Amino acid sequence: MPLSMHETDANGVCDGTTKSYVISPSIRSSAPARMLRSDAVDAAKKSFARPPPSECWPQKPLLLVPEDYAKCTVSGEARFNSEEPFEFETPLFSGVCLCRFRDLEPPADARRAECGERLKAYFHKRKRTFQVVIQGQFKREVRVDAVITGHEFFAPLVNIPGSLILKPILRAFRAMSRTIDVRIFGPRPCVYASLGGTAQAISVDAKGAEPDITSVEGIVENCSRLGGVFAKSRGVSVKKRKKMLSNVKIARNFSFNTGDVYTFDCFQHVFVPHSYRLNLGFRSVELARHLNHQPAQIMAKTLCDEYVYCFSLWHEKLLESTTTA
């Protein structure tokens, strides 16, 4: 199991500096190995809080929960499809989150009467099955290469399929990022990738000039305030930004500062929240059968385990037997 040891600055804050590492067998040999998980926090100290019975969930079949182990708290409730962002905070970041999940109804008490129509408008003629938009400010400056996103689990996966199914799953993950770190076997399975290199759109703005994250048109890319090549008049395309910020040698030259407001627009079509399945095109994989009663997450953190945001997404299926097909 490959390890990364990351140094901290004078204040004990992870800056992403690598002392030593090895390449994970699951990553291309040219990929930056510093994207690997830090072992700064003992796995035994992390666990998912058991959710209440599904009968108590306000938006069945899903439940969105801020995680205590990540020191993530919300003001009010963490909800989806309400067309109203909810406020959250961690020791590293303060902001709002908007979640849209395809083929699920708005909450019964949604304040925006046009919720259903707005959701239809957002997903109309788009393949994506969900959208998560995070917007807010960092409390400490963090290098871009030191922030990763993905999923992490604190117990082994079960009923792992054979290579006929496993290889297309890995290909689907790598289509999102060529530098993705996927570990399916072992005591702490995970899927990690660069946040800057995988977000579908990033907007960096002066406070007060940030975009409306409830827009059904989505977020417009605007990274000029990152500086360097991003500040040039012609700008940088989304495709090029993803490639650049997935490269550690380039990404380490840029930072998320404390003055600007950052908006990260994340969406894709492989994970289907309402059914809790992976859509591989030729086949659909039932996730709950393999996750060992553990939820997928909406999450980003530093390489030193300081969380930017962390919400577990539970499905009723996770409360059932893992042997269910």
Side-chain angles (χ1 to χ4, degrees), residues 127 129 172 269-272 277-285:
K127 289 177 61 178
T129 55
H269 65 279
V270 177
F271 173 55
V272 185
R277 302 180 77 94
L278 289 182
N279 178 15
L280 303 179
F282 73 99
R283 187 184 178 112
S284 179
V285 176

Side-chain angles (χ1 to χ4, degrees), residues 49-58 63 65 314 319:
R50 186 70 176 172
S54 60
E55 292 78 11
C56 304
W57 297 6
L63 180 68
V65 181
W314 290 88
L319 308 183

Side-chain angles (χ1 to χ4, degrees), residues 88-323:
F88 74 90
E89 188 166 9
T90 66
L92 185 60
F93 192 88
S94 179
V96 294
C97 175
L98 178 78
C99 298
R100 289 173 170 139
F101 298 151
R102 193 178 200 124
D103 295 329
L104 288 170
E105 295 296 320
D109 61 346
R111 286 187 238 174
R112 294 184 80 152
E114 71 277 19
C115 264
E117 293 303 315
R118 289 178 60 83
L119 289 168
K120 288 179 183 178
Y122 175 76
F123 287 110
H124 183 60
K125 293 185 178 180
R126 288 168 166 161
K127 289 177 61 178
R128 65 195 67 166
T129 55
F130 72 86
Q131 179 197 34
V132 173
V133 188
I134 300 291
Q135 184 179 81
Q137 292 182 282
F138 287 84
K139 299 179 182 180
R140 293 190 299 277
E141 186 169 321
V142 183
R143 282 201 336 223
V144 171
D145 64 305
V147 182
I148 56 177
T149 184
H151 305 274
E152 55 190 6
F153 305 98
F154 311 127
L157 302 183
V158 296
N159 303 317
I160 297 175
S163 60
L164 188 65
I165 302 300
L166 205 53
K167 287 182 179 179
I169 293 176
L170 295 177
R171 282 199 296 269
F173 282 134
R174 292 196 178 108
M176 301 176 201
S177 173
R178 295 184 69 180
T179 58
I180 199 165
D181 175 17
V182 181
R183 294 184 229 168
I184 293 176
F185 302 96
R188 287 196 67 183
C190 64
V191 178
Y192 290 141
S194 161
L195 177 61
T198 55
Q200 301 289 5
I202 298 177
S203 186
V204 187
D205 304 274
K207 191 172 183 179
E210 61 269 22
D212 175 11
I213 66 174
T214 67
S215 169
V216 297
E217 301 301 322
I219 303 301
V220 177
E221 181 89 358
N222 175 22
C223 290
S224 61
R225 292 177 71 91
L226 282 177
V229 66
F230 293 98
K232 293 184 178 180
S233 58
R234 295 181 63 181
V236 174
S237 67
V238 172
K239 183 177 181 179
K240 187 174 181 181
R241 182 261 302 164
K242 287 182 176 182
K243 184 177 181 179
M244 289 175 60
L245 298 187
S246 291
N247 185 324
V248 170
K249 292 181 180 179
I250 298 175
R252 67 185 302 166
N253 297 310
F254 299 94
S255 294
F256 297 125
N257 64 43
T258 60
D260 289 325
V261 176
Y262 294 86
T263 304
F264 302 99
D265 189 4
C266 306
F267 57 82
Q268 41 104 328
H269 65 279
V270 177
F271 173 55
V272 185
H274 85 273
S275 63
Y276 227 66
R277 302 180 77 94
L278 289 182
N279 178 15
L280 303 179
F282 73 99
R283 187 184 178 112
S284 179
V285 176
E286 177 66 77
L287 277 178
R289 186 171 184 269
H290 308 291
L291 295 185
N292 197 5
H293 305 294
Q294 300 175 96
Q297 303 105 53
I298 298 167
M299 180 276 289
K301 68 176 186 175
T302 71
L303 294 169
C304 289
D305 270 334
E306 297 176 287
Y307 286 83
V308 182
Y309 52 88
C310 185
F311 310 100
S312 288
L313 184 62
W314 290 88
H315 194 287
E316 287 180 314
K317 294 177 180 180
L318 293 170
L319 308 183
E320 301 169 2
S321 171
T322 56
T323 60

